[in-house]
Amino acid sequence: MDSRKKEGQMKTIDILEKKTSRRSFMKKLSIAAAAGSAGLVAGGCVGTSESTEEMGLKWEEYFKKNYRMMTPEEKDETVVRLEKLAKLQDGVDIQMSNQEPQEKVLFGYAFNISRCKGYMDCVEACVQENNLDRNSKTQYIRIFEMDSGQQDPTSGDGKYHHEVPVENKYYMGIQCFHCENAPCIRACPTKATWREPDGIVVVDYDWCIGCRYCMAACPFWGRRFNWGKPEVPKEEINTKQHYLGNRKRMKGAMEKCTFCVQRTRQGKLPACADACPTGSRVFGNLLDPDSEIRYVLKHKKVFRFKEELGTDPKFWYFMD
Amino acid sequence: MTTNSKKGLGAFIADCMRWALSGGIGFKIYIVILLAVMGTGAYAYANQYQNGLITTGMSNIVSWGLYISNFTFFVGVAAAAVMLIIPAYILKDKDLHEVVIIGEGVAVGALVMCLIFITVDMGGPLKVWHMIPGIGLFNWPSSILAWDVLVLNGYLALNVLVPLYILYCNYNNKKPTGWKYKPFVFLSIFWAVSIHMTTAFLYQGLPARPFWNNPLLGPRFLASAFAAGPAVIMMVLITIQQKTSYFIDNRVFFKLKRIIVVSAIINLLMLFSEIFKEFYNATHHSLSAQYLFFGLDGHDALVPWIWTAISLNIIGTLLFAFDPTKCNPKYLMPAAISLFTGIWIEKGFGLIIPGFVPSPMGEVVDYAPTLNEILITVGVLATGILVVTLVIKPALVILQRFREATT
């Protein structure tokens, strides 16, 4: 009841603001005057009524450390805070994990270009699984339609919108390649992005200052920036989340494919590999000699995109 | 007036503020206009702060725009003060020594602009503390951006403290003690080169962007800066000469002109070398240059800009090289404006945007800044101009008094 009432209130405020430009002018003016003040720090959205609990949680969140510098207890605390905040702000019950990488696991991915038919079920599954912003239609995966005789996706069509498969075309999926020698990680001025021991390149969204240097450094266009406030309809939110994965992002932060860290650390396949109807996507542990990915790397003809840049991607293409 | 009694820091600050803000009606209007432009910028920034960088024309493909372009260019202007510092302090050139403080004032203004430009470009400006060593995590020495933050702030400190010390001595009618500031002058010379090289390395070190991944980028940055920077300083000097009673010898213009001509010619030579490399045997990596100079796949937003820039560049260089008026300020002003504007476009917009086009996935899009973005940028520029004005005005008063007292 209460939360619904509050929601209603917020909506009316929204409408009022859109209509009365004078009010929003005054509001902006006051922000301009107060820019950098402590009120803003905790607020971020001045004007909406907030409970003291919410303010307190936000305050603690603002002053927390980089995820990698946190003790296990601090990691548990921030996860609890974020769960509470999700309940208070969005009225959603989420379960957030901070599961550590497993021992002797190094994730790798292989993409079968002779099987993919370009249906893009992977893209859809990724959007749902990772709570990607629906406003800007963010997607981590892109599928390029290619002419035979080409091997460079930059010459392919990444925006095709027609029935697939098309004769004499093949399809190539691109996402973050989780490079071992990643230029994006080196670029970050605050160590907000790093490679986990299991090979997943992650971003601490709360630590990212939004300078976008990593984005300029990535040769594979693997990163996405939140230019506005990302939004996911309440009923579509995936509530099974990971701190380094599909949790709620904020405007001004960088994000990227995490090999579905919230799934893969529990032994599941990433959502894209799970959703693929053609079996083009092979995911597994590179350190396990019996894994399918090892079989592919051993027995198929494989290649990697922009190998000459020496970033050592953990993502291979192969054909039957 | 007592000339020998030592006046304290409090009196110094109070006097500086008085001198900075006093002036005729024209000066007051000028300040009010600057403040109004800054206010508009702050209002536009409040809008950007609330709604995010979505209020700009940037996108996931062109992820840096007007802010970073201007940042890059003004790093060059800041570094250019060294072209006055070297002759003034090291080669003991008397004429340039008279105006070196103005160069340093311009550097301070340029650096303030640079730091604001970086801040307004950030997605999470309130998280800046994450970069402060100790309480945050500073990715040094790995991240070139971390280096850049370091060298820019260091250079700002040097360019504030050295002139401040000299002015404070002069304020008390004393000559500054050499050993107290000379080491910092030497340091600031290397530091000036380093701010520029570091900023160039920011781009140069990215194999992901072939347009930037070019060893000539840093040196060419320096050459263009040593042309554009002294051109700005010349514009400021001419304004001072015309609007104030502060005496500036014509020989200053002559020497400044010589510096500009040499740098501008080296800059053009390197530009030619770059163009040759991109187009003689065009490869996949020349697409950005092709986009910049001729347009690509029907997208040609930058083409008129770059040709305007190159034309202004050449015109400015020629005007400086063949000056029939023997340093008449009325002649030098348009030459300086021409060269400055040309390099501004070329080293700003013309350098940053094509780095992103085509994207690593081969996509070609145009970038155009939004009105909001332009208002913020103009606001930052006004802030820089205000800083330069308020720094130089009291400095000139002090120098003039000192000159009168010692002669």
Side-chain angles (χ1 to χ4, degrees):
Chain A
M1 250 320 257
D2 209 350
S3 72
R4 207 178 288 163
K5 198 176 156 193
K6 199 172 148 194
E7 224 181 271
Q9 262 177 2
M10 274 163 70
K11 240 174 221 163
T12 32
I13 290 174
D14 265 352
I15 293 163
L16 275 175
E17 271 164 13
K18 265 169 205 158
K19 279 187 179 163
T20 53
S21 62
R22 187 177 155 268
R23 184 175 165 167
S24 79
F25 177 82
M26 293 304 285
K27 189 172 152 188
K28 278 172 191 159
L29 214 61
S30 68
I31 292 178
S37 79
L40 259 174
V41 170
C45 46
V46 186
T48 53
S49 56
E50 276 177 15
S51 66
T52 347
E53 190 191 1
E54 198 178 329
M55 291 273 279
L57 287 170
K58 275 187 174 178
W59 185 257
E60 283 177 62
E61 275 295 287
Y62 177 73
F63 286 107
K64 73 181 175 187
K65 296 182 214 162
N66 181 305
Y67 186 72
R68 271 194 295 178
M69 308 303 281
M70 290 184 196
T71 62
E73 294 75 42
E74 284 170 329
K75 285 181 182 174
D76 290 339
E77 282 164 19
T78 178
V79 160
V80 170
R81 279 198 300 267
L82 288 168
E83 283 176 346
K84 278 189 196 159
L85 273 172
K87 180 77 185 154
L88 283 168
Q89 291 178 321
D90 308 320
V92 189
D93 287 300
I94 60 166
Q95 298 93 50
M96 193 181 292
S97 145
N98 55 13
Q99 194 183 351
E100 297 289 323
Q102 292 160 10
E103 296 275 311
K104 289 181 189 152
V105 171
L106 177 62
F107 289 125
Y109 212 120
F111 187 99
N112 190 336
I113 52 171
S114 39
R115 275 206 186 171
C116 179
K117 296 280 179 278
Y119 298 133
M120 297 219 225
D121 290 8
C122 50
V123 176
E124 185 53 34
C126 172
V127 170
Q128 298 290 340
E129 169 67 31
N130 290 302
N131 294 322
L132 298 189
D133 178 27
R134 309 295 204 271
N135 278 351
S136 62
K137 299 196 172 62
T138 299
Q139 51 187 67
Y140 290 160
I141 306 173
R142 296 195 59 195
I143 307 286
F144 285 80
E145 189 175 66
M146 316 266 298
D147 288 317
S148 339
Q150 294 180 334
Q151 212 182 48
D152 180 357
T154 61
S155 54
D157 175 10
K159 286 193 187 121
Y160 67 87
H161 195 77
H162 50 67
E163 203 172 304
V164 288
V166 175
E167 192 145 0
N168 286 328
K169 301 269 186 190
Y170 76 99
Y171 299 85
M172 207 164 166
I174 308 279
Q175 57 208 69
C176 170
F177 291 159
H178 299 270
C179 304
E180 191 163 325
N181 179 23
C184 54
I185 296 175
R186 209 172 303 132
C188 178
T190 60
K191 299 191 186 180
T193 183
W194 67 90
R195 189 166 173 266
E196 288 274 288
D198 54 3
I200 305 179
V201 177
V202 293
V203 180
D204 182 343
Y205 313 119
D206 288 319
W207 197 258
C208 170
I209 57 170
C211 70
R212 310 189 293 292
Y213 193 28
C214 56
M215 199 169 208
C218 175
F220 305 109
W221 205 63
R223 290 172 168 259
R224 307 289 181 270
F225 187 68
N226 287 291
W227 299 95
K229 187 174 183 288
E231 268 168 37
V232 181
K234 199 174 150 187
E235 58 283 358
E236 289 179 29
I237 293 176
N238 177 5
T239 56
K240 290 201 172 48
Q241 304 180 356
H242 191 286
Y243 189 93
L244 299 173
N246 57 346
R247 72 178 166 110
K248 185 179 172 186
R249 270 80 72 191
M250 55 300 289
K251 73 166 190 273
M254 193 60 74
E255 60 173 284
K256 60 184 286 301
C257 158
T258 62
F259 274 167
C260 287
V261 59
Q262 66 280 357
R263 294 170 61 98
T264 47
R265 282 197 182 160
Q266 295 179 348
K268 292 188 217 160
L269 284 176
C272 48
D274 208 28
C276 179
T278 59
S280 318
R281 291 175 169 267
V282 177
F283 179 84
N285 181 4
L286 292 167
L287 302 181
D288 172 7
D290 301 322
S291 62
E292 194 185 349
I293 181 111
R294 282 286 288 270
Y295 179 86
V296 168
L297 293 183
K298 194 171 174 188
H299 296 283
K300 304 283 183 180
K301 291 180 176 59
V302 298
F303 68 93
R304 294 190 285 191
F305 180 38
K306 297 197 186 182
E307 183 113 63
E308 75 277 12
L309 295 180
T311 63
D312 198 357
K314 290 287 164 280
F315 196 106
W316 288 264
Y317 295 95
F318 69 103
M319 43 209 123
D320 285 330
Chain B
M1 204 176 83
T2 51
T3 44
N4 286 326
S5 66
K6 186 173 157 50
K7 287 179 274 183
L9 203 60
F12 174 69
I13 294 169
D15 272 344
C16 280
M17 281 170 67
R18 192 159 51 84
W19 288 324
L21 296 171
S22 63
I25 183 79
F27 178 72
K28 289 204 169 101
I29 292 171
Y30 163 76
I31 294 291
V32 167
I33 290 173
L34 283 182
L35 288 174
V37 175
M38 284 165 66
T40 319
Y43 177 71
Y45 182 68
N47 182 28
Q48 179 188 301
Y49 180 84
Q50 261 209 319
N51 299 309
L53 287 160
I54 199 164
T55 52
T56 69
M58 292 183 270
S59 66
N60 275 333
I61 289 183
V62 182
S63 51
W64 282 336
L66 202 55
Y67 303 145
I68 296 296
S69 302
N70 277 291
F71 155 76
T72 311
F73 174 74
F74 281 104
V75 168
V77 173
V82 79
M83 293 314 269
L84 295 186
I85 292 174
I86 293 177
Y89 292 119
I90 311 293
L91 306 176
K92 311 247 184 287
D93 185 303
K94 285 229 164 51
D95 302 319
L96 289 177
H97 201 280
E98 295 291 308
V99 295
V100 67
I101 207 104
I102 294 163
E104 286 160 335
V106 171
V108 169
L111 283 167
V112 168
M113 281 193 260
C114 289
L115 294 174
I116 304 179
F117 273 126
I118 298 189
T119 314
V120 296
D121 187 66
M122 275 181 191
L126 293 178
K127 298 187 204 161
V128 181
W129 65 270
H130 292 174
M131 245 197 285
I132 301 171
I135 55 171
L137 260 186
F138 199 51
N139 192 8
W140 189 86
S142 171
S143 171
I144 301 297
L145 201 57
W147 278 91
D148 215 29
V149 170
L150 217 61
V151 292
L152 284 177
N153 282 297
Y155 192 64
L156 180 60
L158 283 174
N159 268 291
V160 168
L161 292 177
V162 170
L164 207 60
Y165 168 72
I166 294 173
L167 284 177
Y168 184 62
C169 288
N170 288 352
Y171 176 74
N172 281 310
N173 282 323
K174 277 192 303 183
K175 274 203 155 149
T177 326
W179 64 268
K180 279 186 185 163
Y181 76 97
K182 286 269 169 69
F184 295 102
V185 170
F186 278 102
L187 185 61
S188 81
I189 291 168
F190 292 105
W191 211 290
V193 175
S194 85
I195 65 166
H196 221 171
M197 289 306 264
T198 310
T199 307
F201 285 178
L202 207 65
Y203 309 105
Q204 195 174 322
L206 302 179
R209 312 282 172 182
F211 186 68
W212 295 337
N213 192 213
N214 158 9
L216 198 56
L217 200 74
R220 202 173 150 227
F221 247 46
L222 275 180
S224 68
F226 291 163
V232 183
I233 294 169
M234 185 177 263
M235 282 150 67
V236 175
L237 287 176
I238 293 173
T239 314
I240 290 170
Q241 196 193 38
Q242 287 173 348
K243 302 280 175 205
T244 70
S245 58
Y246 191 79
F247 174 73
I248 293 168
D249 199 302
N250 239 30
R251 275 176 309 201
V252 170
F253 292 126
F254 178 74
K255 285 172 180 167
L256 218 46
K257 190 176 79 176
R258 215 191 255 163
I259 293 171
I260 293 174
V261 169
V262 172
S263 311
I265 289 174
I266 295 175
N267 179 39
L268 283 179
L269 199 70
M270 291 187 187
L271 173 69
F272 178 68
S273 169
E274 267 183 355
I275 291 179
F276 172 78
K277 178 248 166 189
E278 299 284 16
F279 294 109
Y280 180 68
N281 253 331
T283 68
H284 217 68
H285 288 173
S286 314
L287 289 174
S288 295
Q290 211 172 315
Y291 169 72
L292 173 64
F293 288 102
F294 304 110
L296 199 64
D297 298 347
H299 294 271
D300 52 5
L302 291 182
V303 175
W305 287 99
I306 193 65
W307 290 111
T308 311
I310 290 182
S311 312
L312 288 172
N313 221 327
I314 293 173
I315 292 170
T317 310
L318 290 176
L319 285 178
F320 275 119
F322 305 101
D323 171 14
T325 66
K326 303 266 182 297
C327 292
N328 183 342
K330 285 207 175 72
Y331 173 87
L332 290 179
M333 193 67 165
I337 292 174
S338 167
L339 191 65
F340 169 78
T341 318
I343 294 176
W344 191 358
I345 299 170
E346 194 217 319
K347 275 271 111 17
F349 241 59
L351 178 78
I352 303 306
I353 315 298
F356 293 103
V357 185
S359 80
M361 301 316 301
E363 282 147 311
V364 182
V365 296
D366 279 327
Y367 157 82
T370 58
L371 177 65
N372 205 69
E373 205 175 350
I374 293 170
L375 287 179
I376 294 175
T377 305
V378 175
V380 179
L381 296 178
T383 313
I385 296 172
L386 186 73
V387 168
V388 173
T389 311
L390 298 187
V391 164
I392 287 179
K393 260 194 89 206
L396 292 183
V397 176
I398 293 171
L399 287 180
Q400 199 159 20
R401 289 184 160 210
F402 181 65
R403 208 190 273 171
E404 280 160 9
T406 46
T407 50

